[in-house]
Amino acid sequence: MDGDPADQAAWAAIQDVTRDPAACLQATLASVDPGAAASPAIQQLRDGRVGLLITADLILAEAAASTAVAHPDLRVAIVDAPVTRVAPNLTALQFRHDQAGFLAGALAGLMTRTNQVGGVYGLETASIHDFRVGFENGVRAVNPVIAQDAAHRLLAAVEPAGARPFTDPDFGRRQALAQLARGADIIFAAGGETARQALVAAAGAGRWCIGAGEDAYRTVPLADACLLSSALTDVRAAVSAFLRDAARHRWPASGSVTFGLENGGAGLAPFHALDGQVPAAVRTRLASIRAQLLDGTLSTGAFAAG
């Protein structure tokens, strides 16, 4: 575990459940320093004879999956990370990033005053892809001006592959400022520290922004003044639900569990300090879109499972 909000949310969920006497669970934490090998931390837990290993970190995902294959007596759960292996004792906890992104895009498309919005993204993993495509389709769904000229009015910058995935604040800041200079008045950002600095750049320029993953109002205080909302994927709620089932020896037969609007795993964060600037008509439209996503009459156009 490092300082990533997903790690922190997963550990908070574990603590929530272990404090419940009915769950009868105990927990051990292993940490991995940035840039360090993951295998020693996995082995540390393995040597401690844990029965269930959970990781919410991309760094640990592959090593955890390999451990599941090598040790069929150990249950392993990988949270919000690609799973390339299959084993009966391996579970993937997935999220509908596309649903959260679509709602965020609808919010941006309804709130923009310039009919131009931007997006700054970390390295395009499956989750970042779903955030991005969901967001862009949400904007198009509610804003015909942008939809008719998306090439010029719907801006996007995706972090290239390199040595600093999700941890390139200069890229995030630089791309956000470039999009603002081109007329965007709302910046959506998803993907670790790269995205967080894009939000801060929007705040410094006096424009609106929308976070992704965690509620950025809690984790990026320098962006609070510009933060309309965040496209939420609730790791804490998901891990808590999974653990409570695990305590009852209930395991998903399919090897994966998906958390979205229907079970509280995805959605929009509160408007917080900007609550008074979101008109009633926008709230009503967002509620209608949410209902349509839930009943299947509206598609986000993206969901990269696994």
Side-chain angles (χ1 to χ4, degrees), residues 84 86 253:
T84 59
V86 177

Side-chain angles (χ1 to χ4, degrees), residues 195-205 209 220 222-223 226:
R196 287 191 280 274
Q197 288 307 309
L199 301 177
V200 173
C209 64
V220 193
L222 291 177
C226 82

